[in-house]
Amino acid sequence: MKFRKLLFSAATLISVLLLSGCGYNMVVFEPQGPVARSIMELINWSLIWMALVVVVVFGLFGYIVWKYREKPENKDYEPPEEHGSMVLEVIWTAIPILIVIALTIPTVKTLYALEDVPPGYENVKPITIHVTSADWKWIFSYPEQGIETVNYVNIPEDTPIDFKLTSASTMQSFWVPALGGQKYTMGKMETQLYLVADHPGSYFGRNTNFNGRGYAGMEFEVQAQTREDFDQWIKDVKETAPKLTERKYEELLEPTHLGRMTFSNTHLEWVDHADPDSPSYTNPELYRYHGYQGRVFEEEDNYRNKTNDDKNLHEHHVEGDGNGGEHSGH
Amino acid sequence: MGIKWNEILITGDPLILGSQIAILLTMIGIVGGITYLKKWKWLWTEWLTTVDHKKIGIMYIISAVLMFFRGGMDGILMRVQTSRPEMEFLNAQHYNEIFTTHGVIMILFMAMPFLIGFMNLVIPLQIGARDVAFPQLNALSFWLFFCGAMLFNLSFVVGGSPDAGWTSYFPLAGKEFSPGIGNNYYAVALQISGIGTLMTGINFIVTILKMRTKGMTLMRMPMFSWTTFITSIIIVASFPILTVALALMTFDRLYGTHFFTLSGGGLDMLWANLFWLWGHPEVYIVALPAFGIFSEVIATFSRKTLYGYKSMVFSIVGIAILSMVVWVHHFYTMGAGPGVNSIFSITTMMIAVPTGVKMFNWLFTMRKGRIKMTTAMLWALAFVPCFVIGGVTGVMLGMGAADYQYHNTLFLVAHFHYVLIPAVVFAVFAGTYYWWPKMFGHMLNEKIGKWHFWLFVIGFNMTFMPMFFLGLDGAVRRSYTYSVESGYAPLFFVSFIGSIILALGFAAFCYNIYWSVRYADRNIPSDPWDARTLEWATASPVQHYNFAKLPEVKSMDAFWYMKKNNEGLTLKKEELEEIHMPSNSGLPFIMCVVFGISGFFLVFEWHIAAAVAAVGIFAGLIIRSFDYNDGFHVHKEEIEQTESAWRNGEGEVNRYVGKR
Amino acid sequence: MSANVNTSLPLEYQTEQSRMNILGFWIFLGAEIVLFATLFGVYGVLYERYAGGPTHQDIIMMREVMIQTILLLTSSFTCGLAIFEMRRNNLKGLITWLIITLLLGVGFLFMEVNEFLHYIHEGATMQTSAFLSSFFVLLGTHGLHVTVGIGWAILIIIQLLQRGLTPVTARKTFIIGLYWHFLDVVWIFIFTFVYLKGMVA
């Protein structure tokens, strides 16, 4: 029976090694740009050491359990008294420390490297793209080009993209696994991420931080293009795409799933959600689902309080429709 | 009062309707059964009012098994929903509620009470004491936990479940994005049971510091006592953080403050920090006692003393300290900067060092031993390889830069299930098989136990191993569905089959309990495993005063050497003295009810009603303050009778394993 | 359990159960320290997030706060005197000083409630900004502790009057003394890090 267990463990181990190293095509192991590639190299480095640990411990475990298991012929064997061994204990403290050091050095190096333009691209002028996540869509603004897209983002190949991340609603996470690691988007603050695609292609991106009912579908596409195609696309958009109005934008931020959209201006003209003093674009009444509804509080910095001419004001007014505990606690 | 009666009960979902009917029928069944058997008085005097640590321990364990069932059902539903792409078994909202309650219930209402149950059951016995330091407080702790658990479970049929994940990240969990009261349940129910846990921590620190029997120095304590001691310290150091975080959450949701909100200058990152400042130590609150159980089981069934005892103690202290300084690794991706992420990467990976020391010590305890393959030992053995996989993937996740690619994916989900299930779940199963005779005076069936073991271990690996690969392929956690084109379908299906096998394993466990309660041999000796620690030096089940005469300890593995040198096993009539024991009290149970009512009103934001009910809490405290009941004395005759009944007339502690 | 009586120790330490209760209470105070440390941490993170609302300088009434501080510090001193009288086995002195302590505590509480009402009147409520949320919750938690302490001490005084000084009542009195001093220490931190720092900043 022990043997079956051993076999099972060994099979598990082998499958870990096989599947992680090669075989099954996993997006993290098929990087399409220098950022993702540097992370993959770090992961592979760690896999070597971890495989070593697994082999040693599994081997020792299998050997000990097999050799010292109770058998009919050793029923009378009384195990010796042992209290430990200084030498052994020092060894199995020291070796893990060495392994941790071996992992720490490249980890720290990579952590710092990821904050900068990837090596080899320092001389290429980066393109800035503002990413605003909302429930449940991704909004990409190109301030230099003056265009805005929803749920897809086109980038030129071999150009560092300086993504400025923020959120118009909950905390979300921006991830394009083929190009690099993820980072959170948070309202009223800005995080930053450099990504580069080193050849044209379509890459899958999504939110990884749970944010309610529409979370599963909160995906986008990164389309890496040649420089010429990208420039042509920008030109086309500027000529053909409609303008985004403030009203239209407010509608956009309501909790919905949308397809792709393209606009020939950006919402940064009137609001930057990364600004700590920007208004809150929240619509609690649109989040009512089943169950008992509690009291919702009036927020002074809600966007509706600034647009008095908006006739939606009364329809959408947060309080006053008797939606919860009238007897507040204060 | 403006109560919307029609919204109180959740309607419209056939699954929930089924549960409502099932709950109603179960309650009618329980009440009817107790009435029919005329057991109300028995229930009240023997269980609801008890302050006996062993009975409280058993109540913790029973509640934990029930919660395991509830949390497990949630888990199965999740695996069914994701078994095929674009499945329409559950909708997104329902799925969100289910993974939220799965997480909360499994960690707070299954893992922790299960382990606290064993602490209650075993610690006073292991250190040679007659009860914990504050028996009535101990009962209150249990009832507060129970109250929180019931309140939380009520949510899915009354008012709506919490649906913001077990981490309840803001702003999502705030009123702007979750106006339903589901997340009020989260804040209030966890608060109530958290207070109970904090009291447990204090109780066990004092018990272990002050109530050890003669000769039981700290460095002679069994490893489970040590882990309980360190765990209690972590509880006291971390649970107040949860208390504050939940209180602020309550204020934000109920009174419109701006701690974590998007507006008014609130800071959502603050919640993440506070939550994980508690949450990471919480992982070790459940892991350390589990390590303690494995240490006991491995030493007993290898027939050897624990290898490297001192380094084991130092490593749990080391783990406890490190557990407080790694919380940022739960959100490397928040953009705190490379400096911060580097520091927390290092502290996180450092945890591997003391954990590795423990792993090797366990292996070397078995080396040169005679390993007996009981079901309890099998769990401990399976723990080693499975936990190593959890451990090495933990180191990989701890590497900040690499985590950018693993974060919030199923790789992470697979990792923490590979940590928590082998460590905690295998440990509580090992503990159940090991200490069952101590609790009930009969064994669990070993043959059904083997079925339970193999189904569960194989099912577990099948369920979670595929998730490592799914995660590396970009599949995220908490997503209720995925597309056909993603190509995730085959591995998700393997995972689904695994979860069914896992569930069959749990069913085998339940059947084992049923079978053993009905048919197992009652005529077993008090020390069936030929064990090493003091809890086996008393009767099974344990007499209510634990020890007729408190044992004197001369070395580690006290009972083993008592048996070997034949010292202190007999009891002379002259040695008997009257024993002072605490009286039962109904107050903790009444407090549970009052807390429950007050909490329920607070969840529904009926503030005045909640305040009125809260008066009951203060009334209870006042009654307790004026309670000068000093307990009662057990007479010599009663002790003599009880002792001669189990000591078999020969005054010898019986062995089971050796004689078969 | 109540065995192991040692009459050479002070009254409150004589039985084993009392020694355990006092140790347990010390550990509880340890948990309270973590609780307040967390609240201070929250305040430290949010204290400049005014969200367009009032700042420290706009609202703080330093004179009243000074008086509150003096009241509470004095009450801690009188509480010490009460325990001193208990050690001298002087029940009457003990109760007298305890009542004085409570009156000072009530005075503190009265002024704090007035202070809060003043702030609210000025439009600075818990809902105004993150700064004020953390400000009110930190101070409110302390105030709530003082309130509970007063109620608790009244129960102890009643028990002292009923039963006189016994090992049990002595232990209870000693524990509430520890609690009261703890609240005083917390106040010193509040005074320094909330009020003084707020005025300087």
Side-chain angles (χ1 to χ4, degrees):
Chain A
M1 183 179 312
K2 213 60 256 129
F3 186 65
R4 251 169 43 207
K5 169 155 195 47
L6 205 65
L7 205 67
F8 183 66
S9 314
T12 315
L13 165 68
I14 290 163
S15 55
V16 171
L17 292 178
L18 277 183
L19 289 172
S20 57
C22 46
Y24 189 63
N25 302 335
M26 288 177 291
V27 63
V28 168
F29 290 104
E30 292 187 329
Q32 308 294 324
V35 178
R37 200 165 294 119
S38 70
I39 298 179
M40 182 192 70
E41 280 158 12
L42 182 67
I43 292 175
N44 283 340
W45 172 251
S46 72
L47 275 175
I48 295 170
W49 290 103
M50 294 302 108
L52 182 76
V53 171
V54 168
V55 167
V56 168
V57 179
F58 277 38
L60 200 60
F61 171 76
Y63 168 78
I64 288 172
V65 172
W66 185 252
K67 178 149 187 219
Y68 296 102
R69 73 192 192 283
E70 187 176 83
K71 293 165 283 208
E73 58 270 28
N74 71 357
K75 282 274 192 217
D76 296 324
Y77 166 69
E78 199 51 41
E81 294 209 15
E82 273 186 311
H83 288 281
S85 152
M86 195 55 146
V87 181
L88 279 174
E89 282 166 48
V90 169
I91 289 174
W92 64 54
T93 314
I95 291 178
I97 290 178
L98 292 178
I99 295 177
V100 167
I101 292 171
L103 295 175
T104 299
I105 294 167
T107 301
V108 173
K109 273 189 185 163
T110 314
L111 275 170
Y112 276 90
L114 290 178
E115 298 296 312
D116 289 321
V117 176
Y121 294 89
E122 294 91 343
N123 298 326
V124 187
K125 188 173 172 293
I127 290 182
T128 303
I129 299 178
H130 285 253
V131 180
T132 306
S133 61
D135 284 358
W136 294 284
K137 74 261 318 165
W138 291 94
I139 301 164
F140 299 92
S141 319
Y142 299 65
E144 291 145 23
Q145 288 75 15
I147 65 164
E148 185 149 302
T149 59
V150 176
N151 286 337
Y152 78 101
V153 56
N154 286 6
I155 58 171
E157 63 169 329
D158 283 327
T159 310
I161 313 296
D162 181 1
F163 284 106
K164 307 261 186 220
L165 313 170
T166 189
S167 169
S169 64
T170 54
M171 187 188 281
Q172 290 147 11
S173 188
F174 175 83
W175 190 34
V176 189
L179 298 185
Q182 60 194 293
K183 203 162 259 185
Y184 283 174
T185 64
M186 290 170 287
K188 309 206 178 174
M189 70 182 83
E190 189 169 86
T191 44
Q192 189 275 341
L193 185 67
Y194 281 114
L195 293 179
V196 181
D198 53 14
H199 52 272
S202 159
Y203 312 117
F204 156 82
R206 69 160 295 138
N207 169 25
T208 74
N209 203 48
F210 173 66
N211 66 335
R213 253 179 307 144
Y215 165 67
M218 202 173 150
E219 300 170 349
F220 61 94
E221 187 197 349
V222 180
Q223 183 101 36
Q225 300 168 312
T226 59
R227 213 6 130 160
E228 299 77 53
D229 287 351
F230 179 74
D231 290 339
Q232 184 58 44
W233 174 72
I234 295 283
K235 206 162 149 260
D236 291 348
V237 168
K238 292 208 78 103
E239 281 166 11
T240 59
K243 288 266 180 213
L244 179 64
T245 63
E246 226 171 313
R247 274 293 290 285
K248 172 87 184 149
Y249 182 67
E250 282 162 13
E251 223 169 87
L252 204 70
L253 290 185
E254 288 175 1
T256 48
H257 281 297
L258 296 173
R260 298 181 180 197
M261 292 177 165
T262 314
F263 301 102
S264 55
N265 60 336
T266 76
H267 75 269
L268 299 174
E269 289 164 20
W270 59 86
V271 61
D272 178 2
H273 300 282
D275 175 6
D277 298 320
S278 60
S280 304
Y281 284 72
T282 50
N283 302 289
E285 68 285 352
L286 299 180
Y287 289 86
R288 298 238 170 87
Y289 200 59
H290 76 182
Y292 199 82
Q293 300 301 315
R295 177 173 183 237
V296 172
F297 299 89
E298 174 91 56
E299 305 292 2
E300 266 177 46
D301 54 4
N302 193 282
Y303 71 103
R304 290 192 200 110
N305 296 340
K306 304 226 160 132
T307 52
N308 288 329
D309 50 351
D310 191 332
K311 66 175 187 247
N312 274 347
L313 185 68
H314 297 291
E315 289 166 31
H316 276 188
H317 199 51
V318 179
E319 260 195 310
D321 52 353
N323 55 47
E326 275 71 14
H327 45 282
S328 56
H330 45 271
Chain B
M1 301 253 297
I3 298 170
K4 292 157 281 173
W5 297 104
N6 57 327
E7 287 180 11
I8 290 178
L9 270 186
I10 299 289
T11 50
D13 186 312
L15 276 174
I16 292 179
L17 184 68
S19 314
Q20 284 165 335
I21 294 168
I23 291 171
L24 197 69
L25 289 179
T26 313
M27 287 191 14
I28 293 170
I30 291 172
V31 172
I34 295 172
T35 313
Y36 179 73
L37 296 168
K38 300 199 175 68
K39 288 283 189 188
W40 282 110
K41 186 151 192 277
W42 169 82
L43 188 69
W44 177 258
T45 53
E46 292 292 313
W47 295 96
L48 301 187
T49 61
T50 188
V51 295
D52 181 339
H53 68 95
K54 301 173 288 292
K55 285 183 177 167
I56 290 172
I58 289 169
M59 289 195 291
Y60 265 118
I61 290 168
I62 292 171
S63 320
V65 172
L66 289 176
M67 290 294 108
F68 200 154
F69 177 74
R70 161 81 211 270
M73 282 310 286
D74 288 345
I76 298 290
L77 289 176
M78 282 155 68
R79 297 273 59 85
V80 172
Q81 165 61 24
T82 53
S83 61
R84 286 190 293 127
E86 282 151 36
M87 183 89 160
E88 283 176 8
F89 174 61
L90 302 175
N91 63 29
Q93 176 65 22
H94 201 155
Y95 189 83
N96 297 348
E97 294 177 2
I98 276 174
F99 73 67
T100 302
T101 51
H102 171 77
V104 173
I105 286 176
M106 284 304 202
I107 293 281
L108 285 145
F109 300 133
M110 190 286 284
M112 220 165 43
F114 222 135
L115 292 162
I116 290 177
F118 283 124
M119 291 180 194
N120 265 292
L121 183 77
V122 176
I123 294 303
L125 294 166
Q126 261 192 354
I127 61 172
R130 293 213 168 99
D131 208 325
V132 292
F134 313 114
Q136 196 170 334
L137 187 70
N138 197 26
L140 182 65
S141 290
F142 168 75
W143 286 112
L144 287 183
F145 143 71
F146 190 76
C147 166
M150 289 303 112
L151 194 57
F152 191 84
N153 274 280
L154 201 59
S155 65
F156 89 114
V157 285
V158 184
S161 288
D163 57 357
W166 90 280
T167 51
S168 226
Y169 267 23
F170 277 81
L172 175 64
K175 272 285 172 66
E176 313 99 297
F177 298 101
S178 304
I181 59 156
N183 289 298
N184 294 354
Y185 268 113
Y186 178 97
V188 175
L190 264 58
Q191 187 70 283
I192 293 174
S193 67
I195 296 167
T197 309
L198 181 61
M199 297 303 154
T200 301
I202 296 172
N203 213 335
F204 277 95
I205 294 178
V206 178
T207 305
I208 290 175
L209 284 179
K210 285 281 192 184
M211 294 182 74
R212 281 168 288 128
T213 189
K214 197 175 172 199
M216 177 69 82
T217 58
L218 281 175
M219 290 311 270
R220 281 180 191 163
M221 281 201 307
M223 195 45 63
F224 183 58
S225 298
W226 255 112
T227 53
T228 300
F229 180 51
I230 300 296
T231 301
S232 305
I233 292 174
I234 306 179
I235 287 176
V236 172
S238 67
F239 262 76
I241 304 173
L242 178 72
T243 305
V244 170
L246 291 173
L248 303 187
M249 177 179 184
T250 312
F251 280 122
D252 265 9
R253 288 188 55 86
L254 265 55
Y255 307 116
T257 55
H258 291 289
F259 289 102
F260 314 122
T261 53
L262 195 55
S263 48
L267 199 58
D268 45 7
M269 296 192 292
L270 183 61
W271 168 266
N273 276 280
L274 290 177
F275 182 85
W276 288 113
L277 263 166
W278 160 79
H280 200 86
E282 166 67 18
V283 174
Y284 292 92
I285 291 170
V286 293
L288 286 184
F291 291 167
I293 293 176
F294 287 130
S295 300
E296 303 295 335
V297 168
I298 288 175
T300 298
F301 294 109
S302 306
R303 301 179 68 81
K304 274 181 74 201
T305 193
L306 195 62
Y307 196 87
Y309 176 85
K310 275 188 192 159
S311 61
M312 287 297 238
V313 172
F314 289 131
S315 63
I316 50 176
V317 175
I319 289 174
I321 294 167
L322 284 172
S323 77
M324 307 278 175
V325 291
V326 297
W327 79 95
V328 170
H329 73 214
H330 295 273
F331 43 85
Y332 284 137
T333 51
M334 203 178 257
V340 173
N341 284 356
S342 296
I343 290 168
F344 283 92
S345 295
I346 294 169
T347 53
T348 303
M349 283 189 274
M350 287 296 293
I351 290 187
V353 177
T355 315
V357 168
K358 296 184 79 69
M359 197 50 93
F360 283 111
N361 278 328
W362 284 317
L363 288 175
F364 274 68
T365 307
M366 290 191 273
R367 184 172 157 266
K368 293 192 185 166
R370 170 149 63 86
I371 304 169
K372 188 162 183 63
M373 302 292 173
T374 59
T375 309
M377 186 62 176
L378 284 180
W379 288 112
L381 290 176
F383 155 75
V384 173
C386 296
F387 187 75
V388 166
I389 294 174
V392 295
T393 50
V395 173
M396 290 165 71
L397 277 153
M399 299 162 66
D403 180 67
Y404 295 164
Q405 288 283 38
Y406 307 135
H407 185 67
N408 273 346
T409 65
L410 288 178
F411 186 87
L412 169 77
V413 174
H415 154 71
F416 69 71
H417 283 90
Y418 260 92
V419 170
L420 288 171
I421 293 182
V424 182
V425 179
F426 288 11
V428 296
F429 284 148
T432 309
Y433 281 90
Y434 182 60
W435 281 308
W436 191 268
K438 198 80 287 196
M439 289 189 265
F440 300 108
H442 62 86
M443 318 283 276
L444 281 175
N445 186 307
E446 285 283 309
K447 201 169 170 199
I448 307 173
K450 299 278 182 337
W451 274 99
H452 169 205
F453 172 79
W454 285 108
L455 286 171
F456 200 92
V457 172
I458 291 169
F460 154 70
N461 278 288
M462 256 180 91
T463 310
F464 296 103
M465 185 58 75
M467 291 189 190
F468 283 120
F469 307 111
L470 283 169
L472 291 172
D473 200 22
V476 294
R477 70 193 297 202
R478 294 172 170 177
S479 175
Y480 85 109
T481 192
Y482 51 94
S483 63
V484 182
E485 301 82 55
S486 63
Y488 301 151
L491 285 177
F492 265 119
F493 192 73
V494 173
S495 178
F496 161 67
I497 300 290
S499 70
I500 297 299
I501 301 176
L502 190 71
L504 288 176
F506 185 74
F509 174 61
C510 297
Y511 177 68
N512 198 351
I513 292 176
Y514 167 78
W515 189 92
S516 305
V517 167
R518 287 207 61 168
Y519 305 115
D521 182 10
R522 258 55 180 180
N523 189 23
I524 61 153
S526 56
D527 176 26
W529 309 117
D530 203 3
R532 315 177 72 82
T533 44
L534 281 180
E535 73 266 30
W536 301 99
T538 59
S540 299
V542 187
Q543 56 276 48
H544 69 100
Y545 49 82
N546 290 1
F547 298 98
K549 179 179 142 237
L550 292 178
E552 192 177 336
V553 174
K554 298 206 174 102
S555 64
M556 251 169 63
D557 287 345
F559 183 52
W560 182 258
Y561 290 102
M562 281 161 73
K563 286 190 284 189
K564 215 169 175 182
N565 305 331
N566 200 7
E567 278 175 5
L569 296 177
T570 52
L571 183 71
K572 294 196 194 74
K573 204 176 161 186
E574 309 84 81
E575 291 174 314
L576 291 181
E577 279 175 25
E578 287 202 337
I579 296 171
H580 176 254
M581 295 299 290
S583 308
N584 283 359
S585 166
L587 199 54
F589 177 74
I590 294 166
M591 289 289 265
C592 159
V593 174
V594 175
F595 262 99
I597 294 169
S598 184
F600 182 80
F601 289 150
L602 199 60
V603 165
F604 278 80
E605 305 182 6
W606 301 331
H607 299 285
I608 297 163
V612 170
V615 171
I617 297 172
F618 287 98
L621 292 173
I622 292 168
I623 291 168
R624 175 68 186 134
S625 181
F626 282 94
D627 176 12
Y628 275 74
N629 184 333
D630 195 34
F632 65 98
H633 285 86
V634 188
H635 296 296
K636 279 188 196 173
E637 299 76 53
E638 191 197 331
I639 301 170
E640 202 186 328
Q641 221 172 13
T642 318
E643 292 299 311
S644 61
W646 73 275
R647 283 172 187 263
N648 235 354
E650 296 161 33
E652 190 201 349
V653 179
N654 289 302
R655 288 167 49 166
Y656 181 77
V657 173
K659 281 184 180 171
R660 274 261 160 124
Chain C
M1 274 185 173
S2 56
N4 202 352
V5 176
N6 185 345
T7 45
S8 66
L9 292 168
L11 200 53
E12 69 272 16
Y13 280 109
Q14 282 183 1
T15 69
E16 181 66 17
Q17 188 65 48
S18 288
R19 290 193 285 273
M20 290 199 296
N21 282 26
I22 291 170
L23 175 67
F25 195 78
W26 274 108
I27 296 166
F28 173 74
L29 287 185
E32 288 272 51
I33 289 173
V34 179
L35 185 131
F36 276 103
T38 311
L39 285 171
F40 273 107
V42 169
Y43 175 79
V45 170
L46 300 178
Y47 85 107
E48 276 178 325
R49 301 176 80 90
Y50 305 118
T55 67
H56 298 82
Q57 282 93 338
D58 295 338
I59 58 167
I60 287 176
M61 309 190 296
M62 210 51 199
R63 198 174 60 90
E64 277 80 354
V65 173
M66 282 302 295
I67 299 171
Q68 284 175 34
T69 307
I70 291 164
L71 285 178
L72 202 64
L73 290 186
T74 317
S75 83
S76 199
F77 177 66
T78 56
C79 180
L81 289 179
I83 301 298
F84 175 73
E85 292 297 338
M86 183 177 88
R87 288 272 166 87
R88 297 204 318 170
N89 219 356
N90 178 357
L91 181 63
K92 212 174 145 210
L94 165 62
I95 291 176
T96 313
W97 284 117
L98 268 184
I99 289 173
I100 294 172
T101 306
L102 286 194
L103 290 176
L104 290 166
V106 170
F108 165 85
L109 210 59
F110 177 76
M111 292 203 60
E112 187 168 47
V113 169
N114 265 334
E115 184 196 339
F116 280 12
L117 289 176
H118 172 76
Y119 295 155
I120 291 165
H121 188 70
E122 300 269 294
T125 68
M126 237 161 91
Q127 291 83 4
T128 310
S129 66
F131 151 63
L132 284 167
S133 296
S134 62
F135 175 86
F136 277 110
V137 167
L138 172 58
L139 266 70
T141 308
H142 178 265
L144 187 70
H145 274 75
V146 175
T147 317
V148 168
I150 291 170
W152 180 8
I154 291 170
L155 299 181
I156 306 286
I157 290 172
I158 295 170
Q159 288 170 36
L160 281 170
L161 289 171
Q162 281 176 340
R163 292 163 189 274
L165 264 178
T166 69
V168 176
T169 51
R171 176 242 295 166
K172 289 186 173 191
T173 316
F174 184 75
I175 286 176
I176 181 108
L178 288 179
Y179 182 76
W180 199 263
H181 292 308
F182 169 75
L183 295 185
D184 203 51
V185 172
V186 172
W187 181 259
I188 291 171
F189 280 90
I190 290 179
F191 183 70
T192 314
F193 289 107
V194 178
Y195 289 107
L196 286 186
K197 192 160 177 286
M199 291 313 287
V200 175

